[in-house]
mmCIF file with all atom_site columns, all heavy atoms in Angstrom:
data_model
loop_
_atom_site.group_PDB
_atom_site.id
_atom_site.type_symbol
_atom_site.label_atom_id
_atom_site.label_alt_id
_atom_site.label_comp_id
_atom_site.label_asym_id
_atom_site.label_entity_id
_atom_site.label_seq_id
_atom_site.pdbx_PDB_ins_code
_atom_site.Cartn_x
_atom_site.Cartn_y
_atom_site.Cartn_z
_atom_site.occupancy
_atom_site.B_iso_or_equiv
_atom_site.pdbx_formal_charge
_atom_site.auth_seq_id
_atom_site.auth_comp_id
_atom_site.auth_asym_id
_atom_site.auth_atom_id
_atom_site.pdbx_PDB_model_num
ATOM 1  N N   . THR A 1 329 ? -31.969 -36.460 41.166 1.00 0.00 ? 329 THR A N   1
ATOM 2  C CA  . THR A 1 329 ? -30.864 -36.656 40.249 1.00 0.00 ? 329 THR A CA  1
ATOM 3  C C   . THR A 1 329 ? -30.186 -35.342 39.812 1.00 0.00 ? 329 THR A C   1
ATOM 4  O O   . THR A 1 329 ? -30.877 -34.344 39.662 1.00 0.00 ? 329 THR A O   1
ATOM 5  C CB  . THR A 1 329 ? -31.347 -37.429 38.978 1.00 0.00 ? 329 THR A CB  1
ATOM 6  O OG1 . THR A 1 329 ? -32.367 -36.686 38.336 1.00 0.00 ? 329 THR A OG1 1
ATOM 7  C CG2 . THR A 1 329 ? -31.883 -38.788 39.278 1.00 0.00 ? 329 THR A CG2 1
ATOM 8  N N   . LEU A 1 330 ? -28.889 -35.402 39.769 1.00 0.00 ? 330 LEU A N   1
ATOM 9  C CA  . LEU A 1 330 ? -28.093 -34.266 39.367 1.00 0.00 ? 330 LEU A CA  1
ATOM 10 C C   . LEU A 1 330 ? -27.220 -34.618 38.189 1.00 0.00 ? 330 LEU A C   1
ATOM 11 O O   . LEU A 1 330 ? -26.354 -35.455 38.333 1.00 0.00 ? 330 LEU A O   1
ATOM 12 C CB  . LEU A 1 330 ? -27.251 -33.766 40.520 1.00 0.00 ? 330 LEU A CB  1
ATOM 13 C CG  . LEU A 1 330 ? -26.899 -32.264 40.607 1.00 0.00 ? 330 LEU A CG  1
ATOM 14 C CD1 . LEU A 1 330 ? -26.335 -31.899 41.940 1.00 0.00 ? 330 LEU A CD1 1
ATOM 15 C CD2 . LEU A 1 330 ? -25.887 -31.917 39.502 1.00 0.00 ? 330 LEU A CD2 1
ATOM 16 N N   . GLU A 1 331 ? -27.478 -34.016 36.988 1.00 0.00 ? 331 GLU A N   1
ATOM 17 C CA  . GLU A 1 331 ? -26.772 -34.376 35.770 1.00 0.00 ? 331 GLU A CA  1
ATOM 18 C C   . GLU A 1 331 ? -26.283 -33.032 35.113 1.00 0.00 ? 331 GLU A C   1
ATOM 19 O O   . GLU A 1 331 ? -27.100 -32.101 34.923 1.00 0.00 ? 331 GLU A O   1
ATOM 20 C CB  . GLU A 1 331 ? -27.644 -35.087 34.819 1.00 0.00 ? 331 GLU A CB  1
ATOM 21 C CG  . GLU A 1 331 ? -27.103 -35.292 33.417 1.00 0.00 ? 331 GLU A CG  1
ATOM 22 C CD  . GLU A 1 331 ? -25.795 -36.091 33.426 1.00 0.00 ? 331 GLU A CD  1
ATOM 23 O OE1 . GLU A 1 331 ? -25.683 -37.167 34.077 1.00 0.00 ? 331 GLU A OE1 1
ATOM 24 O OE2 . GLU A 1 331 ? -24.878 -35.586 32.780 1.00 0.00 ? 331 GLU A OE2 1
ATOM 25 N N   . ILE A 1 332 ? -25.009 -32.976 34.779 1.00 0.00 ? 332 ILE A N   1
ATOM 26 C CA  . ILE A 1 332 ? -24.449 -31.766 34.189 1.00 0.00 ? 332 ILE A CA  1
ATOM 27 C C   . ILE A 1 332 ? -24.878 -31.530 32.788 1.00 0.00 ? 332 ILE A C   1
ATOM 28 O O   . ILE A 1 332 ? -25.019 -30.396 32.326 1.00 0.00 ? 332 ILE A O   1
ATOM 29 C CB  . ILE A 1 332 ? -22.905 -31.783 34.313 1.00 0.00 ? 332 ILE A CB  1
ATOM 30 C CG1 . ILE A 1 332 ? -22.365 -30.339 34.032 1.00 0.00 ? 332 ILE A CG1 1
ATOM 31 C CG2 . ILE A 1 332 ? -22.337 -32.791 33.405 1.00 0.00 ? 332 ILE A CG2 1
ATOM 32 C CD1 . ILE A 1 332 ? -20.913 -30.216 34.301 1.00 0.00 ? 332 ILE A CD1 1
ATOM 33 N N   . ASN A 1 333 ? -25.183 -32.624 32.060 1.00 0.00 ? 333 ASN A N   1
ATOM 34 C CA  . ASN A 1 333 ? -25.434 -32.530 30.618 1.00 0.00 ? 333 ASN A CA  1
ATOM 35 C C   . ASN A 1 333 ? -26.920 -32.640 30.310 1.00 0.00 ? 333 ASN A C   1
ATOM 36 O O   . ASN A 1 333 ? -27.537 -33.712 30.465 1.00 0.00 ? 333 ASN A O   1
ATOM 37 C CB  . ASN A 1 333 ? -24.704 -33.652 29.893 1.00 0.00 ? 333 ASN A CB  1
ATOM 38 C CG  . ASN A 1 333 ? -24.548 -33.372 28.383 1.00 0.00 ? 333 ASN A CG  1
ATOM 39 O OD1 . ASN A 1 333 ? -25.403 -32.709 27.809 1.00 0.00 ? 333 ASN A OD1 1
ATOM 40 N ND2 . ASN A 1 333 ? -23.484 -33.928 27.868 1.00 0.00 ? 333 ASN A ND2 1
ATOM 41 N N   . PRO A 1 334 ? -27.533 -31.558 29.836 1.00 0.00 ? 334 PRO A N   1
ATOM 42 C CA  . PRO A 1 334 ? -28.968 -31.609 29.509 1.00 0.00 ? 334 PRO A CA  1
ATOM 43 C C   . PRO A 1 334 ? -29.280 -32.636 28.456 1.00 0.00 ? 334 PRO A C   1
ATOM 44 O O   . PRO A 1 334 ? -30.349 -33.279 28.453 1.00 0.00 ? 334 PRO A O   1
ATOM 45 C CB  . PRO A 1 334 ? -29.286 -30.157 28.997 1.00 0.00 ? 334 PRO A CB  1
ATOM 46 C CG  . PRO A 1 334 ? -28.186 -29.329 29.496 1.00 0.00 ? 334 PRO A CG  1
ATOM 47 C CD  . PRO A 1 334 ? -26.979 -30.189 29.644 1.00 0.00 ? 334 PRO A CD  1
ATOM 48 N N   . ALA A 1 335 ? -28.366 -32.847 27.502 1.00 0.00 ? 335 ALA A N   1
ATOM 49 C CA  . ALA A 1 335 ? -28.598 -33.837 26.427 1.00 0.00 ? 335 ALA A CA  1
ATOM 50 C C   . ALA A 1 335 ? -28.668 -35.257 26.996 1.00 0.00 ? 335 ALA A C   1
ATOM 51 O O   . ALA A 1 335 ? -29.543 -36.082 26.538 1.00 0.00 ? 335 ALA A O   1
ATOM 52 C CB  . ALA A 1 335 ? -27.516 -33.756 25.390 1.00 0.00 ? 335 ALA A CB  1
ATOM 53 N N   . VAL A 1 336 ? -27.877 -35.570 27.977 1.00 0.00 ? 336 VAL A N   1
ATOM 54 C CA  . VAL A 1 336 ? -27.893 -36.870 28.687 1.00 0.00 ? 336 VAL A CA  1
ATOM 55 C C   . VAL A 1 336 ? -29.239 -37.064 29.369 1.00 0.00 ? 336 VAL A C   1
ATOM 56 O O   . VAL A 1 336 ? -29.878 -38.129 29.299 1.00 0.00 ? 336 VAL A O   1
ATOM 57 C CB  . VAL A 1 336 ? -26.690 -37.044 29.632 1.00 0.00 ? 336 VAL A CB  1
ATOM 58 C CG1 . VAL A 1 336 ? -26.887 -38.284 30.516 1.00 0.00 ? 336 VAL A CG1 1
ATOM 59 C CG2 . VAL A 1 336 ? -25.402 -37.130 28.881 1.00 0.00 ? 336 VAL A CG2 1
#
Side-chain angles (χ1 to χ4, degrees):
T329 58
L330 206 167
E331 171 60 50
I332 192 172
N333 196 330
V336 169

